[in-house]
Amino acid sequence: MQVKEMEPLCAHTTFRIGGPAAYYLVPECAEEVREGIAFANERKLPFVTIGRGSNILFSDKGYDGVVIEVGRGMERIEVLDDGMIRADAGAGIGALAAAAARESLGGLEFASGIPGTLGGAVTMNAGAYGGEIKDCIVSAAVLDADGAVQRLKKDQLDLGYRSSVIQKKGYIVLNAVFQMQEGEKETILQRMREMNESRRQKQPLEYPSAGSTFKRPEGHFAGKLIEEAGLRGYRIGDAQVSEKHCGFVINRGHATAAQGLELIGHVQEKVFQVSGIKLEPEVKII
């Protein structure tokens, strides 16, 4: 297991923001994840797990604890019988969708352009274009607070809008099994191409960001509310509300976490003044 000290977190998040982690660990199997937690506990330090850092904003001061990257080394994807696929938590969710498509299996097309890992996607019940992880997941193996491995079935995962029992109880995803739908390979691939093209046209993929900054309020769209509040392109330092899609806060080059947080707070305040709706961040702020 790789162990790094004072590792800059800006190098490990899609926002490209964040100071150093006291310790940065890269386990390559479930047992090493458990060892990483023990490493933190022995030093009486807090710990947090990440995948590809695609939905996270770390402080400029960094993290005075242990960051465990469940990614490299835990990326195995295995096609099982009867249209089922098992994948490790570090596998890219887009790579999983592509692996399924190669076997003429659909159901995860919506995930083909999502930059995160399976672990993060299951933890937050990731979704896009009308699809969600809960639509095809069968079960997930998780590491609980006592270091024991549990296999949770779909109904035990309590998957809701950007939420799960994994979040609520602080579990760590190790792997998951999905039930896919048999289909025509070219049809599946075409849907994936169309969704990815839509992302390229509508989302500011040319800038670092943490993805959609705010959760979708019931009956509304966060981006539309932000635009109606007159905040398209609003900027604090190098943190900016995207002109391409108002639901994204982007890093223009040298944004700090302080600037990002100030901008998020300003957006929440302004949208509430205009619409009476309180936006809730989707980005995990650490």
Side-chain angles (χ1 to χ4, degrees):
M1 178 165 58
Q2 294 181 44
V3 179
K4 301 178 182 181
E5 295 185 46
M6 299 307 291
E7 177 71 6
L9 292 166
C10 58
H12 299 283
T13 65
T14 58
F15 228 149
R16 297 294 179 258
I17 292 174
Y23 295 97
Y24 191 89
L25 312 185
V26 186
E28 296 189 357
C29 62
E31 182 56 36
E32 287 189 355
V33 175
R34 188 183 284 110
E35 289 173 6
I37 295 171
F39 179 95
N41 290 338
E42 287 165 6
R43 290 159 178 78
K44 296 182 170 56
L45 291 172
F47 70 89
V48 63
T49 58
I50 68 171
R52 295 181 181 175
S54 61
N55 196 45
I56 296 174
L57 177 58
F58 276 107
S59 164
D60 297 315
K61 295 179 180 179
Y63 185 71
D64 191 17
V66 180
V67 176
I68 303 172
E69 180 194 313
V70 182
R72 290 168 286 174
M74 296 182 65
E75 303 171 308
R76 185 180 58 173
I77 297 172
E78 183 181 6
V79 180
L80 308 176
D81 296 329
D82 300 322
M84 299 180 81
I85 292 183
R86 180 171 55 222
D88 288 344
I93 190 66
L96 178 57
R102 288 193 294 270
E103 301 294 328
S104 301
L105 298 173
L108 279 172
E109 292 90 334
F110 72 88
S112 62
I114 295 176
T117 58
L118 179 143
V122 172
T123 299
M124 67 178 295
N125 185 30
Y129 297 102
E132 292 181 305
I133 290 295
K134 72 175 183 180
D135 297 335
C136 51
I137 193 168
V138 173
S139 65
V142 301
L143 194 65
D144 66 21
D146 297 321
V149 177
Q150 296 187 41
R151 171 67 64 177
L152 303 179
K153 295 181 180 179
K154 179 178 179 177
D155 59 346
Q156 295 174 299
L157 290 169
D158 191 23
L159 298 168
Y161 176 65
R162 304 298 178 267
S163 68
S164 69
V165 72
I166 298 165
Q167 279 183 331
K168 296 167 187 172
K169 295 195 174 183
Y171 294 158
I172 300 171
V173 178
L174 299 175
N175 61 64
V177 176
F178 296 86
Q179 177 64 66
M180 311 302 290
Q181 305 160 5
E182 292 188 9
E184 294 290 332
K185 181 188 294 187
E186 186 51 41
T187 301
I188 295 168
L189 290 171
Q190 181 59 29
R191 282 200 297 267
M192 291 168 65
R193 286 192 289 267
E194 290 171 355
M195 290 177 184
N196 286 332
E197 180 58 29
S198 178
R199 281 188 173 93
R200 283 190 289 270
Q201 291 181 2
K202 297 178 180 179
Q203 298 180 8
L205 303 182
E206 63 273 27
Y207 290 103
S209 79
S212 296
T213 305
F214 300 97
K215 294 181 180 180
R216 185 181 68 244
E218 188 173 353
H220 300 273
F221 292 99
K224 189 170 187 294
L225 291 170
I226 295 167
E227 182 175 7
E228 290 171 349
L231 293 172
R232 179 181 291 276
Y234 187 86
R235 183 170 176 173
I236 295 177
D238 264 4
Q240 182 182 35
V241 174
S242 170
E243 296 175 294
K244 194 172 185 179
H245 189 313
C246 292
F248 286 67
V249 168
I250 60 172
N251 179 355
R252 298 277 310 187
H254 300 285
T256 64
Q259 291 169 352
L261 288 171
E262 184 179 352
L263 181 55
I264 288 170
H266 180 77
V267 168
Q268 288 175 303
E269 182 180 356
K270 188 68 174 177
V271 167
F272 185 75
Q273 288 174 356
V274 172
S275 67
I277 296 171
K278 180 67 178 292
L279 293 179
E280 182 181 349
E282 183 171 315
V283 174
K284 185 177 181 181
I285 298 165
I286 301 177

